[in-house]
Amino acid sequence: MRAKTKIRDFHQARWNEPIIFDLSTPGERGILLPEIEPEVEASAGGALDELPGDLKRSNPPGLPEMAQMRVLKHYLRLSQENLGADLNVDIGQGTCTMKYSPKINEQFAASPQLSGLHPAQNEDTVQGTLEIMYQLEQFLKAISGMDRFSLQPGGGSHAILAIVSMIRAWVDDRGLSDTKDEIITTIFSHPSNCAVARTKGFKVINIYPDPKTGRPDLEAFKEAVSERTAALLITNPEDTGIYNENIKEFTDLVHAHGGLCSYDQANANGIMGITRAANAKFDFCFFNIHKTFSSPHGCGGPGCGGVGVKEHLIPYLPVPLTSFDEANNRYYLDYDVPKTIGKIKDYYGVIPAIIRAYAWIRSLGAEGLLEAARVAVLNNNYILNRIRAMKGAEAPYAEGEHRIEQVRYSFQPLKEETGCGFDEVQRRICDFMCHLWSSHEPFVVPEPFTIEPTESYSREEIDEYLAALEKIIEEAYTNPDVLKTAPHNSSIHHIAEHEYLDDPKLWAVTWRMYNNRFEGYFEPKKEQQ
Amino acid sequence: MAKKFIHPYIPNSVPEVQQEMLQEIGVENIDEFFKCIPDEQKVQGKLDLPDPLLSEAALKRHVEGILARNQPAGNMINFLGGGCWDHHVPAVCDEIAARSEFLTAYAGEPYEDHGRFQALFEYASMMAELLDVEVVNIPTYDGSQAAAPALSMACRITGRTEVLVAVSTAPDRLSVIKSYLYPDIKVNLFDYDSDTGLADLDDLSARLSDQTAAVYFENPAYLGYFETRGRKISALAHEQGALSVVWTDPASLGVLNPPRAYGADLTCGEIQPLGIHMFMGGGRAGFIGAPDDERYIKEYPSRLFGIAPTTHREWGFGDAAWERTSFASRETSKEFVGTASALWGITAGVYLALMGPEGMRELGENCIKRTRYALNKMAGLPGVKAPAIGTHFFKEFVVNFDGCGKTVAHINAELLSRGIMGGQDLSQVYPDMGQSALYSLTEKRSREDIDCLVNELEKILSA
C-alpha cells in the first residue's frame, strides 16, 4: 500500500425513512392532471358511468396521498441510502462490476429525440435510432467475429433465453428432439445457462473444475459429450478469471457430435480486442451490452443483451432485425427471418442502453477498447497480487498464474481461524463505503468472494478498497465482534433473523401482507395468535 | 512512437502508474497476462471499428447529428398506442430515475443498498394496492415477459401443461408467450366475436378441459375495448380447475376494477404507462400479481423483496423465498431470473406515489372520456367506421377507413405532414379488418388536439 492510502472515516446516510404509506395525508396531491374540457364532458361525460357493473372500481386503490415535495424527499432520501457505482468502490461486484457510465451518454439516452419515439412510428421517422442499432450491430460483429446480432433481449439471462430458444428450434427443426436432449454447462458459468436450458426442455449436465487448474475438467467433459448433446453453454474465462486455453478442444468435440456451442460473454471486459468468440469456433455468443459496453445497471436493469450468431443460425434469430437498404439509403426493421423463434420481448430492445453502448464504443474506438481490456486485466492482477499476500484470504486454483478480468477468492482460512467468514466481512465492508458480493451458488469455492476491478477504477481507489479489506481482516483476528455485529455505519443494522424472509408464515413481500401478519414492529397480529 | 492512449474513462492508462503496478506484480508488461490465450484464438491486428471521437464535444456533435434524424411522436399530436403509450411522465419520475445512486447501482447488499430495497418493496406494495393483491414481484423485462411466466406459474400450480389464450391477445405478446412456453406447454387459442370483440364463451367452454392449466385474456384488450364478461370467463376456468390469468393496463385501475374482482388468480401487465418514457418501445417492465398463498409465491421465478427486522428496530429488507430462484437453485429453480427492469419499478413507484388514488382516478377518467370524445367525433366522418370493434373503451379504439377508399398508410402520411401521428396501421397484422387503425388517447390529448385531428382527417378523406 502506498503511503497516501487512508482508511476512510465513512458513514452512510441514515434517514430512517418510514414506509411510504405512513407518509400519507388524506387530501394531499403529488401532481394534477389535465381538466376535462367542457366540450369533452358534454360529448363524453357519460362514458365512465355507462360501463357495465363489473368493470367500475368501487373502492379507490389504497395508494398514499402525498404532496409533490414529500414524494421527492422520500425518494431522494432512499437514493442516499443506496451506494451506486458513481459513489462507492464497487469492485467487489465481481462477474459484473459496472464500469463508469459516462454522463454525456446519459444526455443522449434522456434526449426527447429518443425518449419520445413510439415503436409504431413510420420507419422514415426513426432513421436515427435505426442507424444506431444497425451500427452497434456492426461493432459487435467486429468485436466477436459473429455474423449477425439481435439486440432484443433485456439482459444477459434474457439473451441466454434467446439462444437456448434458438437451440431448441434448431434441434426440433432437424428432427432431433428425441435424441439431442442434453445441454452441457459448467458450474462456474452463470446459473441462468442451466436454468434456461431446463426451462426449454433440456437435461442439464454441469462440469466441475479441475481442482488444481481451475479449468473445466476436460476428462469429465469428454465423458459428458455424446450424440445427445444439443449444445454447450460456457463462459471463458469463468468466474475464476482463469482462461480455458483448451476451449477450442471443447467446441470441436461438441461440433464433432453434431451439437452447437454458445459463448456466455456477459462479461467480455478482459478480452475485448484480445480474443473473439468466432476464433474459438462458437456458434452463438452474447454480450451484456450494459456491462461490457457501459450502460448503468439501474439497481438491476434495464440491461441489454446482444445475441450474436454465425451464418447458419441467422434464420432462427428473434424478429425484427435491423437491416440497411443500400439502394434507398434507408435503415429498416427486417422481419424476413424464415425460421425465427418469434419475439422474446416487446418491440426492438432497450433503446437507452443501445445508444449508450454505441456512444461508448465510438468514444474509445479499437485502440480504446483494447486499452480498456488491458487495464482491466492489469488492475485485476494488481489486486490478486495483494490479496494473495493477505492473511485469511486465498485465491483457489491455478497457483502462481495470472488471471484475466476477475478472481474468485476464498475466506475459508479466515473463517477457520477467526470464526468470521464471508458473511461477516460482507457486512463490515459496508462501513467503509465498499461492497462485496456473495458469488453465485453453489459455493464450490468455500466462503467465496469475487473481485473485478474493470478499467474504470484508479489505483488510488483500488488501494482504498484493499486497505479496507486488510483492516477488516485485522479486526477479524483482534476484535471479531466488530464484524459479527456489523454493519455499524450503514443505513441500517444487521438483519439477523432470516426466517422473516424464508418462513411462509412470516414473510411479507408487500406492505399489505405485512399489515395482515403484523402490527407495530413485527408484533404478530392478535387474531393470528 | 505514437502517443500513449490515455482516455478519461481509463485512469490507469497513465504509463508511470502502469509501470509501478507492473513492478509491484513482478511482470514486465501487460502482454504477459494474456500469454494463457493461444495465438490462434487471438485477434490479429486491430478491431475493425471507426476511429474514436475522443473529445466529448465531437461525440456529442456526432450522436446528436444522428438523433436529429428522428421525428419523435412525443413532439407531435400523437395517436399511437397499442401497448406503448404516450402518457405524461412527471418531472419527479425523471429526477429520481436519473439519480446516480439508483441509476448506477447494481447488486448491493440490503445494507449499503437499503434504498433500492425499500423503494422496490414500496413499488410492489403500491402495485398490490392498485391490483388488489398481496404479492407483486420485482419487475420482469416487460409485460409480455410477465404474461408468459404467469402462464408457466399457472401450469406448475395446477400440475397441467396446456393453456387457453384469447385470440384477441396483442400479437407480439402472443408471439412471446408461444416462444417462451415452447416446448413444454401447449398454447391453444379461444375465439372471439369479431363485432363485439368479446370472448366466444361457447368456444371457450368447448376447449376447456381438466387438462387446462389457465385461461388467459387481456382487459382492456389490445384493440382497446373492455372484456365485460371477465367474471364469467374466470368462473368457466375455475369450473375445470384452471386458473384465470388476466393481463391489465395499470393506468386503468384508478377507475376500473382490478382483475381479481372478477376472478383472476394471477394478474399481469406492463408498467410503462406509470411514468416511463416510450423510448421506441425500449422502456418497459412487467408485473405479476398473486394472492397471499404459499403455492403461488413459491412458483414465482422473479425476485420478491421481503421486509425484516434489524437488530436496531429499523425496517430491513432482503430477498424472500430465495431458494426458488435460479440464483439459489440453478436448474432445479422456477424458470430463471437475472437483471431485468428494477429502475423502472422504482420509477413506477414514484409515479404511483405522486398520483395517489385521486390522480389515478383522474387519469382513468381522462382516458375514457377523451377516447369517447374522439370516437364520437370520428364516427361522424363520412365513410369512417368508428368503432370498428367493441363497445366500451379505455384509451384506444379501432377506426376502419374502408368506406373512404383510402389506405391507412396514405392517411397517416398526410397526417404526418401536418404534425399528427395517426393511429397504428393494423392492415398488415389484421388483414381481415381491412384498412383499419388503432387510435390511442391519453390524458395528453386535449380537445384541441382531437378537433385538429378530425378537421385534418376530413380534409384528407375528401381530397
Side-chain angles (χ1 to χ4, degrees):
Chain A
M1 195 191 311
R2 287 160 323 116
K4 71 177 183 179
T5 304
K6 289 205 177 84
I7 302 282
R8 190 181 296 258
D9 181 8
F10 171 78
H11 199 305
Q12 191 171 4
R14 185 183 292 164
W15 286 101
N16 272 312
E17 195 60 8
I19 303 297
I20 197 164
F21 294 91
D22 284 344
L23 297 170
S24 178
T25 301
E28 281 188 8
R29 294 294 302 268
I31 192 162
L32 300 179
L33 280 91
E35 284 189 32
I36 312 277
E37 300 90 331
E39 298 85 348
V40 174
E41 190 64 42
S43 167
L48 196 52
D49 295 329
E50 288 164 20
L51 293 179
D54 261 6
L55 282 177
K56 261 186 83 175
R57 187 160 192 147
S58 36
N59 297 313
L63 297 170
E65 297 174 66
M66 297 165 72
Q68 190 169 108
M69 193 187 192
R70 197 71 194 85
V71 176
L72 178 70
K73 272 187 187 159
H74 176 66
Y75 280 99
L76 286 180
R77 288 169 178 170
L78 292 184
S79 78
Q80 289 195 342
E81 295 182 320
N82 215 61
L83 279 184
D86 276 358
L87 289 159
N88 72 343
V89 181
D90 215 31
I91 64 177
Q93 185 60 51
T95 76
C96 202
T97 301
M98 299 309 290
K99 58 179 62 185
Y100 174 56
S101 294
K103 293 300 157 188
I104 184 69
N105 299 352
E106 289 311 310
Q107 290 188 7
F108 303 145
S111 161
Q113 288 295 110
L114 200 71
S115 65
L117 296 177
H118 189 279
Q121 285 188 219
N122 184 309
E123 285 167 2
D124 290 334
T125 66
V126 293
Q127 284 293 300
T129 305
L130 293 177
E131 177 178 342
I132 283 168
M133 292 169 71
Y134 180 85
Q135 293 299 340
L136 178 59
E137 180 184 355
Q138 308 316 308
F139 301 166
L140 297 178
K141 282 159 63 175
I143 293 164
S144 65
M146 306 308 270
D147 295 321
R148 198 81 217 252
F149 271 81
S150 164
L151 304 176
Q152 195 175 115
S157 298
H158 209 195
I160 295 171
L161 174 67
I163 287 173
V164 182
S165 298
M166 285 189 272
I167 294 168
R168 177 86 260 165
W170 178 86
V171 165
D172 293 354
D173 195 31
R174 296 157 76 90
L176 300 170
S177 317
D178 295 331
T179 48
K180 287 215 165 294
D181 57 356
E182 291 177 354
I183 278 185
I184 302 174
T185 185
T186 65
I187 202 74
F188 279 141
S189 291
H190 192 280
S192 286
N193 286 292
C194 54
V196 170
R198 200 277 328 274
T199 299
K200 299 306 288 183
F202 292 104
K203 293 176 202 149
V204 175
I205 300 172
N206 285 298
I207 303 297
Y208 279 69
D210 178 293
K212 193 167 164 56
T213 69
R215 275 87 170 163
D217 187 323
L218 184 58
E219 293 313 311
F221 177 73
K222 283 177 180 168
E223 273 179 41
V225 180
S226 74
E227 298 308 312
R228 304 210 78 86
T229 307
L232 167 69
L233 313 180
I234 196 167
T235 311
N236 190 30
E238 297 179 296
D239 292 1
T240 53
I242 301 166
Y243 191 86
N244 175 9
E245 69 276 22
N246 299 319
I247 190 65
K248 208 174 145 297
E249 214 172 319
F250 282 64
T251 55
D252 282 346
L253 194 60
V254 170
H255 287 146
H257 287 82
L260 298 171
C261 298
S262 172
Y263 193 170
D264 179 336
Q265 294 198 282
N267 186 350
N269 215 39
I271 55 170
M272 285 182 297
I274 307 280
T275 179
R276 311 195 303 174
N279 297 20
K281 302 296 176 200
F282 281 95
D283 305 285
F284 300 95
C285 78
F286 76 90
F287 295 112
N288 277 12
I289 303 282
H290 53 282
K291 153 63 183 159
T292 302
F293 305 108
S294 177
S295 190
H297 215 301
C299 290
C304 177
V307 170
V309 297
K310 293 300 289 178
E311 184 79 32
H312 58 289
L313 293 160
I314 294 174
Y316 296 92
L317 281 165
V319 282
L321 302 172
T322 313
S323 296
F324 182 60
D325 174 0
E326 278 186 44
N328 294 299
N329 191 30
R330 183 178 179 274
Y331 299 93
Y332 65 102
L333 294 166
D334 189 348
Y335 287 85
D336 185 16
V337 185
K339 295 176 178 178
T340 178
I341 56 166
K343 293 189 72 67
I344 64 155
K345 191 176 190 304
D346 296 340
Y347 308 115
Y348 323 120
V350 178
I351 305 294
I354 289 169
I355 192 163
R356 290 187 191 106
Y358 172 85
W360 190 81
I361 295 171
R362 283 307 322 259
S363 70
L364 286 158
E367 194 183 351
L369 258 61
L370 180 62
E371 181 69 2
R374 288 167 62 86
V375 171
V377 176
L378 169 66
N379 290 347
N380 184 47
N381 284 284
Y382 177 79
I383 293 169
L384 172 65
N385 186 53
R386 288 275 300 277
I387 292 184
R388 272 182 174 149
M390 286 184 198
K391 193 178 174 188
E394 60 187 11
Y397 311 120
E399 199 175 340
E401 288 184 44
H402 304 303
R403 305 285 176 99
I404 303 294
E405 84 288 18
Q406 63 193 346
V407 179
R408 178 146 300 165
Y409 301 95
S410 174
F411 276 131
Q412 184 64 18
L414 189 74
K415 179 82 178 176
E416 288 167 7
E417 291 162 19
T418 71
C420 293
F422 166 75
D423 176 52
E424 288 78 13
V425 178
Q426 181 185 51
R427 279 188 281 113
R428 180 62 177 148
I429 205 165
C430 303
D431 292 334
F432 300 93
M433 73 98 209
C434 295
H435 162 58
L436 192 63
W437 173 62
S438 55
S439 303
H440 287 304
E441 297 174 50
F443 295 158
V444 176
V445 170
E447 300 295 321
F449 65 107
T450 312
I451 294 185
E452 179 200 359
T454 76
E455 75 281 10
S456 298
Y457 289 89
S458 68
R459 178 176 49 167
E460 279 73 18
E461 288 179 291
I462 292 170
D463 283 347
E464 184 175 351
Y465 191 95
L466 293 169
L469 263 189
E470 283 166 350
K471 163 93 175 156
I472 293 166
I473 289 171
E474 182 198 318
E475 287 176 342
Y477 284 99
T478 56
N479 185 12
D481 277 353
V482 177
L483 275 73
K484 286 176 182 164
T485 53
H488 305 281
N489 299 339
S490 198
S491 294
I492 58 164
H493 293 84
H494 187 198
I495 298 165
E497 299 168 271
H498 261 262
E499 58 270 31
Y500 285 89
L501 301 172
D502 298 330
D503 182 345
K505 291 190 187 63
L506 294 177
W507 64 31
V509 300
T510 57
W511 190 234
R512 175 184 272 217
M513 221 167 150
Y514 178 85
N515 287 311
N516 288 341
R517 282 164 164 62
F518 305 105
E519 50 198 6
Y521 189 73
F522 291 95
E523 294 156 30
K525 258 204 156 164
K526 299 247 169 22
E527 59 266 30
Q528 286 193 348
Q529 285 179 328
Chain B
M1 195 178 139
K3 194 179 156 203
K4 174 80 175 76
F5 189 97
I6 297 174
H7 198 281
Y9 306 160
I10 314 177
N12 291 343
S13 278
V14 176
E16 293 75 17
V17 173
Q18 287 194 352
Q19 209 47 51
E20 287 172 21
M21 292 173 80
L22 286 167
Q23 265 173 16
E24 192 173 319
I25 300 166
V27 299
E28 288 286 311
N29 58 56
I30 292 177
D31 294 332
E32 284 194 35
F33 300 131
F34 298 107
K35 278 190 176 161
C36 52
I37 301 176
D39 282 344
E40 70 271 17
Q41 290 172 32
K42 282 192 175 151
V43 174
Q44 304 303 316
K46 271 200 335 185
L47 293 175
D48 182 17
L49 294 173
D51 288 339
L53 299 157
L54 291 172
S55 77
E56 187 169 299
L59 181 70
K60 185 175 164 74
R61 184 174 178 148
H62 167 76
V63 175
E64 288 183 349
I66 297 178
L67 289 181
R69 299 177 63 201
N70 290 335
Q71 296 172 259
N75 293 353
M76 299 185 204
I77 302 176
N78 175 35
F79 295 95
L80 289 170
C84 180
W85 297 284
D86 192 4
H87 287 285
H88 175 67
V89 175
V92 179
C93 288
D94 279 341
E95 174 73 20
I96 298 301
R99 287 291 296 190
S100 270
E101 297 90 334
F102 283 142
L103 180 70
T104 67
Y106 175 24
E109 295 304 311
Y111 307 105
E112 80 266 20
D113 272 8
H114 175 69
R116 79 178 165 98
F117 275 92
Q118 181 165 342
L120 285 163
F121 174 84
E122 291 178 346
Y123 154 76
S125 298
M126 286 186 275
M127 284 298 290
E129 295 302 325
L130 196 63
L131 300 169
D132 191 23
V133 298
E134 284 74 41
V135 181
V136 173
N137 56 338
I138 304 307
T140 61
Y141 300 107
D142 61 19
S144 296
Q145 271 292 348
L151 289 169
S152 194
M153 284 172 68
C155 287
R156 290 194 298 277
I157 291 165
T158 58
R160 300 173 181 180
T161 56
E162 188 181 308
V163 294
L164 267 175
V165 175
V167 79
S168 54
T169 298
D172 279 1
R173 192 164 309 116
L174 187 56
S175 177
V176 172
I177 288 171
K178 284 180 172 171
S179 173
Y180 188 76
L181 298 183
Y182 180 79
D184 290 343
I185 296 167
K186 194 171 174 195
V187 180
N188 291 323
L189 302 179
F190 64 94
D191 211 351
Y192 74 145
D193 182 297
S194 59
D195 289 329
T196 65
L198 301 179
D200 181 336
L201 297 182
D202 292 336
D203 188 53
L204 173 61
S205 298
R207 291 174 187 275
L208 261 164
S209 76
D210 60 6
Q211 304 297 304
T212 312
V215 173
Y216 170 94
F217 64 99
E218 304 185 341
N219 205 15
Y222 174 69
L223 296 180
Y225 55 82
F226 288 119
E227 172 54 74
T228 54
R229 295 180 299 180
R231 191 180 298 274
K232 183 72 186 161
I233 298 170
S234 296
L236 287 171
H238 292 157
E239 278 171 24
Q240 292 289 347
L243 302 189
S244 168
V245 180
V246 181
W247 192 95
T248 191
D249 178 355
S252 70
L253 299 182
V255 292
L256 294 177
N257 255 332
R260 192 182 194 175
Y262 45 89
D265 302 286
L266 286 165
T267 310
C268 55
E270 166 68 51
I271 60 172
Q272 182 268 330
L274 307 182
I276 299 160
H277 293 281
M278 296 185 288
F279 288 117
M280 203 169 145
R284 303 184 78 72
F287 64 85
I288 302 172
D292 179 4
D293 182 332
E294 190 184 342
R295 290 178 309 148
Y296 285 74
I297 292 170
K298 286 198 161 171
E299 296 305 334
Y300 267 91
S302 336
R303 294 175 79 175
L304 299 166
F305 285 174
I307 191 165
T310 72
T311 52
H312 287 56
R313 293 179 67 84
E314 300 128 334
W315 297 120
F317 303 93
D319 277 279
W322 177 248
E323 287 306 314
R324 71 198 151 74
T325 68
S326 57
F327 287 136
S329 302
R330 290 175 65 91
E331 66 269 26
T332 58
S333 62
K334 312 298 182 183
E335 303 163 60
F336 69 95
V337 66
T339 285
S341 299
L343 186 67
W344 299 139
I346 293 172
T347 309
V350 175
Y351 184 87
L352 291 173
L354 286 169
M355 294 290 275
E358 186 59 14
M360 290 306 289
R361 190 193 65 74
E362 288 175 7
L363 175 66
E365 187 182 6
N366 259 275
C367 291
I368 286 184
K369 289 184 177 175
R370 291 180 191 286
T371 298
R372 171 69 75 87
Y373 178 76
L375 189 53
N376 289 348
K377 298 277 281 192
M378 289 175 84
L381 291 169
V384 168
K385 188 182 177 195
I389 181 171
T391 312
H392 300 283
F393 304 89
F394 178 51
K395 61 184 177 189
E396 289 167 292
F397 58 91
V398 177
V399 183
N400 178 273
F401 294 99
D402 284 348
C404 310
K406 292 192 164 61
T407 65
V408 174
H410 168 78
I411 294 165
N412 281 355
E414 289 292 324
L415 286 172
L416 182 62
S417 69
R418 294 157 161 89
I420 298 171
M421 284 280 179
Q424 186 170 339
D425 191 342
L426 299 174
S427 60
Q428 301 294 315
V429 181
Y430 293 91
D432 293 351
M433 297 183 80
Q435 289 300 317
S436 291
L438 182 65
Y439 272 78
S440 172
L441 286 289
T442 68
E443 76 281 12
K444 283 171 72 175
R445 291 290 73 85
S446 67
R447 178 193 62 81
E448 280 182 0
D449 291 343
I450 299 165
D451 289 353
C452 173
L453 166 74
V454 174
N455 288 340
E456 296 305 326
L457 272 178
E458 207 162 9
K459 291 181 213 161
I460 295 164
L461 296 177
S462 61

